[in-house]
Amino acid sequence: MPVTTAPGFALEESGERATLRLTGDWTAMTIHLLDDDLAGLKHDHPVLVDVSGLTRIDTAGAFLIDRTLRAAPEGSGLTGTNDVARNLIDQVHAVSDPVPPVKAPDHGFVALLERTGRGFVGVMSEIFQTLAFLGETIVTTLGLLMRPWKLRWTSIVAVMEEAGLDAMPIIAFLSFFVGMVVAYIGATTLRDFDLEIYTVELIGYSMLREFGVVLTGIVLAGRTNSSFTAQIGTMKMRQEIDAMQTLGLKPMDVLVAPRIIALLLMTPALTFVATLAGIAGGVVVGWSSLDINPGVFLDRLRNSVPLEHFWVGLSKAPVFGFVVTLIACRQGLNVGGSVQSLGNATTTSVVQGLFAVIVLDAIFAILYMELGI
């Protein structure tokens, strides 16, 4: 076994140039002995590193020497007759470019304008790509509906069960308690005017027209969006979608269209269940706190709240289901090859889904108000 020679160096100053003479073994096993001392050297003039005295060197030692040369003033370099050491140091230098220092964030007005511009361009690009995906989805879905023998009914029914029936308990549970909260707020406010009986109308209008469908959309945006994006994104990461295309199968036909059709069918049903659950919560509060008999509550609800409000709420459901599914599928297909990309796409999908539900509900409210509905 070869004897290890301790590494060493000596700095010789001569006029406007210094020479750093290296001796001993500069290997991974020995360089820790002089790493701190070498890093503490201060150079005012160019340094020539003499490698003639090196007995052994590996990439760890070469990296340490290269780091020393990078820290030295301009004009520094290698000298000496040890060609093996010089070649190894040159090779390490070629592949060990240091990471540039992180620039301090610019908080000036120009930087603010630049960030604003980049954000605006990003939003417009996202809108453009979403509209393009929307057009492709509509064309694909309508084409399959006109040729029903090409529909994948097994996938459609499976998605209807997973995203529809399995979500029904949580939607009903959430709507029931929201109905109770609305009834309590209405009863507390109207009691000051001795108008507690109008809590029935408050529950009817709010649940039939708004809360039933909005709560359904919010639950779908949080639950179904994350599920669809994660499923499609995982397939994208594992290159299953590439394999699918190799087999002649279109991802839009196999992955997107069945989910769109399933949610178009299930969202109205979920909205109906949410509306009934919310009214049931109002009935419980009316019976327990306002002494309104359930029969009287339902009779007044039928006579005071027109049925058209139910259809107004139900008309929003397919749109919410379509948009939520569209966002989820698009984000899933945009996933890259990393887990971080999958996490970012899932988060973006949920946020965009929630945002879309609220904005669409506001648009519907303005539209129906202008139409007098």
Side-chain angles (χ1 to χ4, degrees):
M1 184 174 181
V3 178
T4 301
T5 305
F9 65 88
L11 183 63
E12 299 176 358
E13 300 279 355
S14 59
E16 295 184 355
R17 184 175 295 274
T19 301
L20 184 65
R21 302 189 185 280
L22 310 181
T23 58
D25 295 345
W26 285 58
T27 64
M29 301 296 295
T30 60
I31 59 173
H32 67 280
L33 300 173
L34 43 75
D35 187 11
D36 295 336
D37 295 336
L38 195 63
L41 287 178
K42 303 298 182 182
H43 311 289
D44 297 327
H45 305 295
V47 177
L48 288 178
V49 179
D50 186 359
V51 296
S52 301
L54 293 178
T55 53
R56 281 191 298 171
I57 185 173
D58 61 11
T59 54
F63 174 78
L64 190 61
I65 297 171
D66 178 65
R67 189 187 70 182
T68 303
L69 286 172
R70 290 181 183 275
E74 186 177 356
S76 301
L78 293 172
T79 186
T81 57
N82 193 333
D83 293 335
V84 174
R86 297 183 65 163
N87 290 336
L88 182 59
I89 295 170
D90 289 339
Q91 293 176 19
V92 170
H93 177 82
V95 297
S96 62
D97 291 334
V99 177
V102 179
K103 295 182 179 180
D106 186 1
H107 300 291
F109 181 70
V110 175
L112 174 62
L113 292 178
E114 180 183 358
R115 291 194 297 271
T116 303
R118 291 182 182 276
F120 179 77
V121 171
V123 170
M124 296 305 297
S125 175
E126 184 74 15
I127 293 174
F128 178 78
Q129 293 174 14
T130 301
L131 290 176
F133 188 76
L134 170 64
E136 185 179 4
T137 302
I138 292 175
V139 170
T140 301
T141 305
L142 290 179
L144 290 175
L145 290 175
M146 294 176 65
R147 294 171 292 175
W149 60 89
K150 288 193 173 183
L151 288 173
R152 298 176 176 271
W153 291 105
T154 303
S155 300
I156 294 173
V157 174
V159 174
M160 289 174 66
E161 179 182 4
E162 176 191 352
L165 293 179
D166 292 348
M168 196 169 289
I170 187 173
I171 290 176
F173 188 79
L174 181 64
S175 298
F176 178 81
F177 284 103
V178 169
M180 292 183 64
V181 170
V182 173
Y184 272 120
I185 293 175
T188 303
T189 304
L190 296 173
R191 183 177 290 120
D192 298 335
F193 306 98
D194 294 327
L195 298 174
E196 295 97 326
I197 191 64
Y198 286 102
T199 303
V200 177
E201 282 81 354
L202 177 63
I203 289 294
Y205 283 107
S206 61
M207 295 308 303
L208 291 175
R209 194 178 182 100
E210 293 293 338
F211 282 135
V213 65
V214 170
L215 289 174
T216 301
I218 288 174
V219 172
L220 289 179
R223 180 183 182 275
T224 306
N225 261 37
S226 57
S227 174
F228 286 175
T229 302
Q231 290 172 357
I232 298 176
T234 302
M235 295 179 67
K236 186 78 177 294
M237 289 175 56
R238 295 176 177 175
Q239 298 182 341
E240 294 179 23
I241 294 179
D242 295 337
M244 189 183 302
Q245 292 173 328
T246 303
L247 295 174
L249 301 175
K250 297 179 180 179
M252 295 295 294
D253 295 347
V254 178
L255 300 176
V256 179
R259 288 171 167 80
I260 292 289
I261 296 172
L263 264 294
L264 284 175
L265 296 174
M266 288 306 302
T267 309
L270 293 174
T271 301
F272 179 73
V273 171
T275 302
L276 291 182
I279 293 175
V283 170
V284 170
V285 172
W287 193 11
S288 61
S289 300
L290 303 177
D291 295 326
I292 301 176
N293 185 276
V296 175
F297 189 104
L298 295 176
D299 186 65
R300 185 178 179 87
L301 180 67
R302 186 178 70 249
N303 295 328
S304 302
V305 181
L307 188 61
E308 68 179 31
H309 296 292
F310 169 73
W311 296 113
V312 166
L314 202 64
S315 66
K316 306 175 188 177
V319 179
F320 286 1
F322 177 81
V323 171
V324 164
T325 310
L326 182 79
I327 293 172
C329 294
R330 178 177 175 271
Q331 292 299 327
L333 292 173
N334 284 342
V335 171
S338 65
V339 177
Q340 183 179 2
S341 173
L342 177 62
N344 292 337
T346 304
T347 302
T348 303
S349 174
V350 173
V351 172
Q352 288 186 355
L354 293 172
F355 180 80
V357 168
I358 302 301
V359 171
L360 286 174
D361 187 62
I363 293 174
F364 272 115
I366 296 172
L367 177 64
Y368 288 144
M369 182 184 68
E370 293 295 330
L371 294 176
I373 302 176

